[in-house]
Every structure is written in structure tokens, then in C-alpha cells.
Amino acid sequence: MLELSYTYWEGGDGWLVGYLNEYPEQWTQGKDLTELEEMLLDLYDNFLIEAKRKKERVKKTGVLRVPA
């Protein structure tokens, strides 16, 4: 099982705000700790999907031969 650490605090209106420590620039929020953790998992899933897309979009080069 993978364990991800996160940081959180109480934001405005009683909401909890937090981020995965690996991605401190991407914040999310939840009404309570359970919801915040769900949102953090969604955020992590999005990072995995984006990483997969980037891997699939590896640029390649080729040579085009044009008849003279």
C-alpha cells in the first residue's frame, strides 16, 4: 500500500484546506477531514493520469524523403 503525506489547515468558513506534500502547489479543500482526504486522492489520481498522458506524448523525430 502506498502512503502519501499531506499538510492541511482550517481555512475560511470552517473548511479544511490541504495539499499532498509531493505537490505543494496544488491545494484542495473539504468540509471535513474525510472529504479532504477524498479530494486529495482525486488530486493524486489526476496527477497519475497526467503523468501517463505525458509519457504517451513522447516526441519522436523522423526523416521524410522527398523525390527530386
Side-chain angles (χ1 to χ4, degrees):
M1 174 180 273
L2 176 65
E3 291 184 0
L4 300 170
S5 60
Y6 62 91
T7 300
Y8 72 98
W9 59 95
E10 188 173 330
D13 299 328
W15 285 70
L16 297 177
V17 180
Y19 58 83
L20 296 169
N21 290 342
E22 288 186 53
Y23 306 97
E25 67 282 353
Q26 299 293 323
W27 295 7
T28 190
Q29 62 184 7
K31 295 176 191 172
D32 53 34
L33 191 55
T34 300
E35 185 174 296
L36 176 62
E37 288 181 344
E38 289 172 4
M39 299 302 291
L40 289 167
L41 283 172
D42 286 344
L43 194 59
Y44 183 71
D45 286 342
N46 288 336
F47 290 137
L48 289 178
I49 290 168
E50 185 59 27
K52 191 175 188 180
R53 281 189 196 140
K54 285 182 180 179
K55 186 176 180 182
E56 291 171 356
R57 289 188 275 175
V58 173
K59 292 183 180 179
K60 300 177 182 177
T61 61
V63 175
L64 179 63
R65 291 187 174 89
V66 180

